[in-house]
Amino acid sequence: MSESLNSGAHRTVLLRGGEVHSPADPFATAMVVERGHVAWVGSEGAADAFAPGVDEVVDLEGALVTPAFVDAHVHTTATGFALTGLDLSSAASLAGAAELIRAHAAARPADRILVGHGWDASRWPERRAPRRDELDELTGGRPLYLTRIDVHSAVVTTALLDLVPGVRDLDGFRDGEPLTGDAHHAVRAAAFAAVSPLQRTEAQRAARAHAASLGIGTLHECGGPQISSEDDFTGLLDLARAEDGPRVVGYWADLDLDRARALGALGAAGDLFADGSLGSHTACLHEPYADAAGRTGAAHLDAAAVAAHVVACTEAGLQAGFHAIGDAAVTAVTDGVRAAAEKLGLARIRAARHRVEHAEMLTPATIAAFAELGLTASVQPAFDALWGGDEGMYADRLGVERARTLNPYAALLRAGVPLAFGSDSPVTPLDPWGTVRAAAFHRTLDHRISVRAAFTAHTRGGWRAVGRDDAGVLVPGAPADYAVWRAGDLVVQAPDDRVARWSTDPRSGTPGLPDLSPGLPLPVCLRTVVHGRTVFVRPNE
């Protein structure tokens, strides 16, 4: 099944001899791609009639063909830096993190600034972040910017603080503690301004190449003035237009709609912060944190500000969207969107398909509001896999009972709320099948959904989140964004022990998907194709 990169461009290709995941034909084994779109799906017998008229016939050798994944929430440049630079997500202790920092500093003597990501003191036996004096010693006094795994706080060296005059007077600066809020945003801006354009482009290329190797065909880039620079955002969009790889849909989290539009963003949305994160104690809660007496997090937008933004975006033909994790932040967003609907009419608000990113602490009332207002829940199931459970970080921050209410995917689906899955990479890694598994085997049984529903949220759901209903599924006329997989048995998995958890009965007429039971190996991507162009081929396949 070997093929050189891009050899499928502008060619008519017949894929046959495999399993094609398509609602057009649940028993399909073949597919024709022409001019960047799916032209036909069907059986081996019918494929014989197409073979003489195509430019190329690909023998799938039993492989599975599915729509390419859409990661609906990514920070591409930061993902690239985590892939190519200092990644502390594997560090099991503060001491282990220190060794990684020291080694990285020694290996990069010419870098003007060291950038790293992924520390999580909640999982370390020391239960604390690195101190500034420790970082100064580990780096030899060089500038270092090191984000917590949730990217809502950071530890830095004295040399980097010295590049930001007045930072010690900003909100979020508490000497001896990780930076949050305005202090963090100011230091982040200085850190990324010190990164060279070449370093940035290399990181973006690395992230897109890695995404392609995982069967991801589209990335929703969530940029903004408090997250990345305008040059970073426009440079990524330009790179994606100029070079083959996953397509990039840009969101710019700014109340300035004209600026978002000028930068090429689909919406003034993404990480437009209504609050922060649970790990950094900055998600906005109705009731205080269980492990931080009296603290309820940080509210960055109230309902009135949300309403004004949603009205402006709707009238301008742009998507609005908000980062909202805590229950108080989610309430502010839904109250604001409802106020916008009262002004413009519910039909206009629903048609605009506004988004809420993360949406972790939901209640029956806010779930109902999402459904009523047509809000897309852009969510990250890997968060539950990493931080859920009765002994995880969520339980530390909220107590076990509140923690068990988080990320209620089954309730969202029952209410008819559109779901789009993503990773928030580099917060959690790009890992689409792992994301589907995390939703299907949620740590809280009542929140589990079927593999089929989770897969749909990570493919078609991402397209619907950008206003496209004609993509993310392999049917005639759809864009030819697909991935080819080496996978085990194809089954139909359900989340509830009261019904059969899996079935291989072909009489069901339901297209099967790989068995994602915990402990089993995940499918391996052999090839990724975006708009008919091959952007990844696994070596020696």
Side-chain angles (χ1 to χ4, degrees):
M1 199 175 65
S2 63
E3 175 187 326
S4 62
L5 226 57
N6 298 330
S7 64
H10 310 299
R11 294 164 62 86
T12 300
V13 178
L14 168 63
L15 299 94
R16 64 184 306 178
E19 301 279 352
V20 179
H21 185 86
S22 171
D25 183 347
F27 311 111
T29 61
M31 180 172 75
V32 173
V33 173
E34 185 176 24
R35 297 177 184 174
H37 289 78
V38 176
W40 170 85
V41 293
S43 65
E44 281 302 300
D48 290 336
F50 288 95
V54 302
D55 297 312
E56 181 179 7
V57 177
V58 175
D59 183 357
L60 293 168
E61 300 175 10
L64 170 67
V65 182
T66 71
F69 285 101
V70 177
D71 193 307
H73 193 117
V74 177
H75 305 287
T76 307
T77 305
T79 297
F81 282 132
L83 289 168
T84 62
L86 176 55
D87 182 3
L88 299 182
S89 60
S90 64
S93 66
L94 176 60
E99 290 306 311
L100 291 172
I101 296 167
R102 189 187 302 278
H104 181 75
R108 308 294 293 245
D111 287 1
R112 289 182 292 178
I113 183 168
L114 302 170
V115 176
H117 167 74
W119 60 270
D120 185 359
S122 71
R123 297 189 290 127
W124 292 347
E126 298 91 346
R127 305 290 287 185
R128 69 169 179 86
R131 296 194 307 268
R132 195 185 324 140
D133 62 324
E134 294 170 331
L135 297 175
D136 289 344
E137 188 276 327
L138 291 168
T139 61
R142 295 161 66 191
L144 167 70
Y145 172 69
L146 197 59
T147 47
R148 189 186 182 278
I149 193 169
D150 59 9
V151 200
H152 283 270
S153 58
V155 291
V156 303
T157 54
T158 303
L160 181 54
L161 281 183
D162 290 344
L163 295 177
V164 189
V167 67
R168 292 169 173 82
D169 298 323
L170 294 178
D171 179 60
F173 184 90
R174 292 182 291 275
D175 204 17
E177 296 185 31
L179 303 175
T180 61
D182 292 342
H184 178 212
H185 299 155
V187 169
R188 176 164 52 197
F192 283 111
V195 171
S196 72
L198 178 61
Q199 282 178 288
R200 186 175 64 221
T201 300
E202 288 176 345
Q204 292 169 349
R205 285 192 176 116
R208 291 181 74 228
H210 184 57
S213 76
L214 297 170
I216 298 171
T218 301
L219 302 170
H220 294 186
E221 167 67 13
C222 291
Q226 294 183 323
I227 302 161
S228 57
S229 70
E230 293 182 2
D231 287 344
D232 180 279
F233 186 76
T234 57
L236 174 63
L237 296 183
D238 289 343
L239 183 71
R241 284 189 289 264
E243 299 182 3
D244 287 340
R247 70 183 83 238
V248 177
V249 177
Y251 287 95
W252 185 252
D254 201 334
L255 294 175
D256 184 344
L257 273 59
D258 292 336
R259 194 68 201 140
R261 193 191 296 277
L263 293 174
L266 183 69
D271 275 330
L272 185 55
F273 295 122
D275 68 344
S277 74
L278 293 166
S280 293
H281 292 100
T282 52
C284 190
L285 312 182
H286 285 304
E287 301 295 333
Y289 284 87
D291 62 347
R295 291 176 64 176
T296 56
H300 300 305
L301 295 171
D302 61 15
V306 169
H309 186 64
V310 171
V311 167
C313 284
T314 304
E315 292 182 328
L318 291 172
Q319 279 185 294
F322 305 91
H323 163 121
I325 287 178
D327 50 2
V330 175
T331 297
V333 168
T334 53
D335 286 351
V337 178
R338 183 175 286 110
E342 291 170 356
K343 180 174 183 178
L344 298 182
L346 181 60
R348 289 186 68 185
I349 296 300
R350 289 180 60 87
R353 302 193 190 190
H354 301 307
R355 299 170 53 142
V356 182
E357 309 298 318
H358 315 308
E360 293 200 78
M361 291 187 71
L362 294 161
T363 65
T366 50
I367 291 171
F370 271 55
E372 174 195 359
L373 300 166
L375 295 173
T376 294
S378 171
V379 295
Q380 295 75 39
F383 287 6
D384 175 73
L386 183 60
W387 296 314
D390 290 356
E391 297 180 357
M393 183 271 287
Y394 290 154
D396 288 346
R397 294 291 186 269
L398 304 172
V400 170
E401 291 306 313
R402 271 197 296 177
R404 287 176 180 168
T405 68
L406 265 60
N407 304 302
Y409 304 136
L412 286 164
L413 282 181
R414 284 195 299 270
V417 176
L419 293 184
F421 281 178
S423 62
D424 199 11
S425 181
V427 175
T428 60
L430 299 172
D431 180 15
W433 285 114
T435 295
V436 174
R437 173 185 278 172
F441 295 92
H442 197 294
R443 289 178 179 270
T444 303
L445 181 62
D446 288 345
H447 299 334
R448 292 179 176 180
I449 61 177
S450 70
V451 167
R452 183 183 182 189
F455 179 79
T456 298
H458 215 347
T459 50
R460 197 170 193 181
W463 283 98
R464 286 171 166 167
V466 299
R468 291 281 300 273
D469 293 329
D470 61 337
V473 61
L474 300 180
V475 297
D481 283 28
Y482 63 91
V484 181
W485 306 92
R486 183 168 60 239
D489 292 338
L490 302 186
V491 300
V492 178
Q493 286 181 299
D496 196 327
D497 286 324
R498 292 172 296 181
V499 298
R501 293 191 60 83
W502 62 273
S503 170
T504 56
D505 188 345
R507 294 172 298 180
S508 68
T510 300
L513 286 166
D515 188 345
L516 301 184
S517 299
L520 292 181
L522 293 173
V524 174
C525 185
L526 305 179
R527 181 184 309 175
T528 304
V529 175
V530 175
H531 199 58
R533 298 178 68 91
T534 301
V535 299
F536 169 76
V537 174
R538 182 162 296 280
N540 304 316
E541 293 286 350

